[in-house]
Amino acid sequence: MKLYRANLIFTPTKDAFRILPHGYIAVREDGIIDQVYESLPQELQSLPVTDYGDRLMIPGFCDLHVHAPQYRNMGIAMDLELLPWLTTYTFPEEAKFADVNYADHIYRRFVHELWMQGSMRSAVFGTIHPEGTRRLADLFVQAGLGSRIGLVAMDRNAPDNLRNTPQQAVQDTLALQQHLSQHGNDDLVQTIVTPRFIPSCTPQMLTALGQLAKEQNLAVQSHLSENRSEIEWVRELEPESSCYGDAYYRYGLFGQQPTLMAHCCYTEGEELQMMKDHHVYVVHCPTSNCNIASGMAPIRTFLDAGIPVGLGSDVAGGHNFSILRIIQYAIQVSKLVYAQTHGELQFLSLSEAFWLATKSGGSFFGKVGSFEPGYELDALVIDDGYLNYDHYTLEQRLERYIYLGDDRDIRWRFCRGTKLVEPVM
Ligand code: GUN
Ligand code: FE
């Protein structure tokens, strides 16, 4: 058993923080939390304690939607909406990942950045290229970060050098899965079935991927109802489907396996009901939605309906990897929704947004994102001393850290109980 002592802050429910001033976490050898304590019980008092003093200790962050090959486009190219943005800026950059040396060069920086920002778990889009995507997965294994890595499938409406066939997408995903299972990384890094979105995938591709997910018991990730022109295009491409979500569902890609759907800015009615019925995750990406002018997802409606929700950076639609900034944007965008609906959709509280980034998003990976017995210890130790020139409560300290702090304040990072060293870039 290992013991850690710090100011513990986490969200067992979305409605309130649980705060243990100078509390203790007891962690088993396998990285699972045994118990948290306000003060140390008699029987544990002989054990050594790692004492982080007056620092904050919070669950590690979860980035449920991010595109590794778009790393170089971060912070540029925000003058177009989704569809022209993809063809003008995104596809040409992703095509470069046919070169595994280029992939290595970019992906090292990408994985380093996730480590730096405290994103201990992520769901990642690679490209159609098997060598580069395997390189990406290997870098996650080396870093000790938990991840779901997707070999992207696309066989229509894309340049010739950025298409694979259904057979290739299936074979390359299987090969990646096999490669990872031989790595001995205890499933921390796994593959995830990744149709880019409906406009990129023929019915043959979607059929093959749905079958693959079912046969191999793999999770699924994609994009849903992000942008109005995209939704209109999907209606034309899949006229038999009753809504965009139904176009995935018909191929076994909408909750038949654990499923992440990024954006959902315009999800309502039947699509919303389907997400609830099939436990499909909404991945809210508010920075991306602002940058490429997609819209504002009604997160309160999703929460009220009991649909699982997590947060994503969606780099490079999103300009920033920091989950702190994503929490901040999620709250601020929810306040715009609140104003626009004349108060009908209540905005997110701080604890709700923090919960989305930790326990709610973490639930996609198992028992992840909270400091409760049975949870894997993913944690960040925060050195916010410079922000505390006056007295603030611990909850205020966390709020100030979320709004004013950054990765430089993260002193140590843990994923599944292991303290991570800085990955080589
Ligand atoms: N829809 C299909 N591909 C993409 C992508 O790369 N980024 C975003 N934001 N939406 C998409
Ligand atoms: Fe995306």
Side-chain angles (χ1 to χ4, degrees), residues 133-245:
T133 306
R134 191 204 305 157
R135 189 83 200 97
L136 176 64
D138 287 344
L139 289 166
F140 272 98
V141 173
Q142 281 170 28
L145 291 165
S147 195
R148 300 290 177 268
I149 310 286
L151 180 120
V152 173
M154 37 202 304
D155 68 339
R156 67 175 173 188
N157 298 313
D160 285 343
N161 61 357
L162 211 55
R163 289 175 194 232
N164 47 15
T165 64
Q167 204 181 11
Q168 283 173 327
V170 168
Q171 268 175 12
D172 294 342
T173 300
L174 280 172
L176 181 62
Q177 182 199 16
Q178 203 158 29
H179 175 74
L180 284 169
S181 66
Q182 286 161 358
H183 247 298
N185 74 98
D186 300 324
D187 288 347
L188 206 50
V189 182
Q190 297 176 28
T191 166
I192 181 166
V193 173
T194 305
R196 181 175 211 114
F197 66 159
I198 294 288
S200 298
C201 297
T202 61
Q204 291 75 20
M205 178 67 91
L206 296 166
T207 304
L209 295 179
Q211 215 170 342
L212 171 70
K214 182 179 174 187
E215 283 171 10
Q216 301 296 321
N217 194 24
L218 294 173
V220 174
Q221 63 177 354
S222 195
H223 299 89
L224 180 70
S225 298
E226 175 177 4
N227 167 291
R228 286 200 170 94
S229 309
E230 171 210 18
I231 295 167
E232 193 48 47
W233 196 15
V234 170
R235 239 194 294 275
E236 290 162 19
L237 291 168
E238 289 285 323
E240 260 104 274
S241 299
S242 55
C243 60
Y244 194 161

Side-chain angles (χ1 to χ4, degrees), residues 277-403:
D277 291 345
H278 302 290
H279 200 71
V280 175
Y281 280 69
V282 169
V283 187
H284 182 37
C285 305
T287 53
S288 172
N289 298 157
C290 290
N291 290 331
I292 53 177
S294 296
M296 300 182 288
I299 298 305
R300 174 62 59 198
T301 306
F302 300 143
L303 293 180
D304 286 349
I307 294 169
V309 183
L311 299 181
S313 65
D314 193 30
V315 161
H319 60 284
N320 196 311
F321 278 97
S322 171
I323 299 298
L324 300 170
R325 292 294 84 74
I326 313 292
I327 291 172
Q328 171 204 320
Y329 267 70
I331 294 170
Q332 291 176 331
V333 168
S334 78
K335 289 176 176 172
L336 299 179
V337 172
Y338 168 84
Q340 227 177 23
T341 61
H342 301 275
E344 192 191 321
L345 296 184
Q346 180 58 43
F347 53 80
L348 296 174
S349 69
L350 188 73
S351 70
E352 285 177 324
F354 186 81
W355 172 84
L356 290 177
T358 55
K359 188 174 179 179
S360 184
S363 67
F364 191 74
F365 304 91
K367 286 194 154 189
V368 170
S370 189
F371 294 155
E372 296 169 62
Y375 272 68
E376 302 178 26
L377 181 77
D378 282 21
L380 308 175
V381 179
I382 310 296
D383 217 340
D384 65 334
Y386 73 103
L387 292 169
N388 299 322
Y389 52 83
D390 201 351
H391 177 75
Y392 294 98
T393 67
L394 285 169
E395 184 166 337
Q396 288 173 331
R397 278 176 58 183
L398 180 68
E399 186 166 13
R400 284 169 60 80
Y401 173 62
I402 287 169
Y403 280 92

Side-chain angles (χ1 to χ4, degrees), residues 20-36:
L20 282 71
H22 300 293
Y24 295 82
I25 307 185
V27 185
R28 303 188 329 222
E29 288 310 316
D30 59 2
I32 307 294
I33 295 170
D34 188 68
Q35 195 52 270
V36 294

